[in-house]
């Protein structure tokens, strides 16, 4: 996704500034211009970029800074904070509660991915123990009901709609009433997609909203919409009280900066992002980890959450214990592969590790990756217990490799490939040795238990350089206790 390029450009601008011997007005302006250019290229609205630039200049008042203050660090923090502010409207959106009936209405442009997102949203909550239901109030697009029905059936979610009835308000009201009676606690109403110019359709949307009195209206926006995002989002906000935004197709080549504009236009937070066509390609959106990732700092808390989501509860303590001991064995890899195959794409998990991309499971190649994982597991089935439990790759002698290849009916090349993959993963996961891994909901404990050594291992080298090497990191860590500084590392130490 092109947002990654934005992150890259911003990081480069900061690095360039860090390399300057003296930081004066000119260096600061060059850096800010570079960052502004990157944001504009990513389709962030001009006014927002200008405001951000002005805000940073106000915070980073070079002359007002006392002598000896670390100007670079202040600059980095200012960029991080400003990006977070852009994405954070300052008020959380309504969140449905289990057992208490809520109505959530989806609105958005035609083809934005609204219908798909309704099901993803329902499925996400179903997995969290909700009893969701879907109502198709899209009487405009032929086939919309069929699409919703198909998606809902696949996910085993009750649905309501009609081929005959043409009044969306009537369908919406009937559906909501029916599911309230059936004790569903999350009733999702999908409405027709429309264009900004279609006044009549906007009126219809307003009527559906008035009749169903939703607790939350979610605006679904395609991330590729570009500079038009602000106007479109604002048009929806003027008709119905949009309370949250979901950005779809973040897996594509969209520049993604429109997300920032949509937040500004609706004054509502982005709550989820769609990262593919499949039902589980849907991620909770958190500002600080997102900006951390954007700036190449990794998303530590997202990674921890994924572990909690992907790894079965009874295996979690053992896995976390082993990771903290730094003993990543082939058996551990085998068990994780089992979980991956059970739970779906773990590419997401790995992409959250600082400095680690989804090499094992690149987007769009999930099927091939799954086949590869299955192949790896077949080969591991031909290994001895001692081999599986060892962390010593020297055990794998040539004769053992040939034996494993023969035993599993695979070429020697494949066994070598699998062992390389193991080494690569062991290296990455080994970095967690000694790191106290917090339980879910205890993210702040991580910041208390982190030390400079761990952080320096986990951070990408360019990031470490940017913050002034070990010395810079040390002074940063001292300040990690303060809320602002944990924001600097959002995803890694911040409370979610
Ligand atoms: N790659 C990718 N495709 C997506 C994502 N979300 C939705 N899509 C695809 O986008 C297309 C349009 O999605 P729909 O859900 O039909 O769009 P809609 O907004 O309901 O369309 P209308 O009913 O016409 O308003 C479909 O092909 C979806 O599979 C996503 O996050 N990533």
């Amino acid at each position: 996704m092109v947002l990654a390029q934005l992150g890259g450009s911003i990081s480069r601008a900061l690095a360039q500034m860090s390399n300057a011997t003296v930081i004066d007005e000119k260096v600061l302006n060059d850096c800010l211009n570079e960052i502004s250019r990157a944001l504009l290229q990513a389709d962030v609205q001009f006014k927002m970029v200008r405001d951000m630039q002005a805000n940073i200049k106000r915070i980073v008042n070079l002359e007002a800074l006392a002598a000896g203050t670390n100007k670079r660090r202040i600059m980095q923090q200012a960029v991080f904070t400003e990006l977070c502010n852009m994405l954070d409207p300052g008020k959380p959106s309504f969140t449905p509660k289990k057992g208490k009936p809520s109505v959530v209405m989806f609105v958005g442009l035609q083809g934005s991915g609204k219908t798909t997102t309704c099901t993803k949203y329902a499925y996400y909550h179903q997995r969290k123990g909700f009893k969701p239901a879907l109502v198709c109030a899209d009487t405009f697009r032929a086939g919309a009901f069929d699409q919703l029905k198909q998606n809902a059936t696949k996910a085993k979610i009750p649905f309501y709609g009609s081929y005959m009835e043409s009044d969306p308000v009537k369908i919406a009201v009937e559906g909501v009433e029916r599911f309230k009676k059936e004790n569903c606690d999350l009733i999702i109403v999908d409405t027709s997609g429309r264009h900004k110019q279609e006044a009549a359709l906007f009126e219809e949307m307003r009527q559906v909203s008035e009749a169903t009195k939703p607790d939350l209206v979610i605006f679904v926006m395609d991330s590729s919409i570009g500079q038009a995002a602000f106007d479109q989002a604002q048009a929806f906000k003027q008709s119905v009280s949009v309370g949250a935004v979901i950005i779809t197709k973040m897996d594509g080549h969209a520049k993604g900066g429109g997300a920032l504009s949509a937040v500004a236009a609706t004054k509502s937070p982005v709550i989820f992002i769609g990262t593919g066509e499949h039902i589980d390609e849907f991620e909770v959106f958190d500002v600080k980890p997102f900006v951390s990732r954007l700036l190449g700092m990794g998303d530590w808390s997202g990674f921890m959450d994924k572990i909690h989501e992907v790894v079965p509860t009874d295996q979690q303590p053992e896995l976390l214990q082993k990771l903290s001991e730094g003993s990543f064995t082939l058996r551990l890899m085998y068990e994780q592969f089992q979980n991956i195959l059970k739970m779906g794409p773990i590419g997401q998990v790995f992409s959250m590790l600082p400095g680690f991309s989804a090499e094992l499971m690149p987007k769009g190649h999930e099927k091939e990756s799954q086949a590869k994982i299955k192949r790896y597991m077949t080969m591991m089935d031909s290994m001895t217990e001692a081999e599986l439990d060892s962390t010593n790759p020297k055990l794998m002698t040539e004769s053992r490799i040939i034996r494993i290849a023969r035993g599993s009916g695979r070429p020697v090349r494949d066994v070598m490939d699998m062992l390389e993959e193991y080494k690569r993963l062991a290296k990455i996961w080994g970095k967690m040795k000694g790191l106290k891994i917090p339980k879910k909901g205890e993210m702040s404990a991580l910041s208390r238990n982190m030390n400079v050594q761990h952080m320096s291992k986990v951070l990408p080298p360019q990031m470490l350089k940017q913050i002034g090497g070990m010395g810079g990191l040390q002074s940063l860590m001292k300040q990690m206790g303060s809320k602002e500084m944990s924001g600097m590392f959002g995803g890694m130490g911040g409370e979610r």
Side-chain angles (χ1 to χ4, degrees), residues 108-117 120 138 141 144 147 151 190-194 220 247-252 273-277 281:
L109 287 180
Q110 236 166 15
S112 57
K114 197 169 30 58
T115 305
T116 311
T117 306
K120 285 179 173 180
D138 180 355
R141 179 167 66 92
Q147 189 191 348
N151 290 347
D190 186 15
T191 60
S192 317
R194 53 210 73 213
V220 178
I247 315 281
T248 62
K249 310 183 193 178
M250 289 290 273
D251 49 310
I273 52 171
T275 53
E277 295 194 41
E281 288 174 319

Side-chain angles (χ1 to χ4, degrees), residues 165-177:
E165 181 56 62
S166 61
D167 179 3
V169 178
K170 193 156 178 271
I171 297 181
V173 170
E174 280 173 8
V176 168
E177 269 172 16

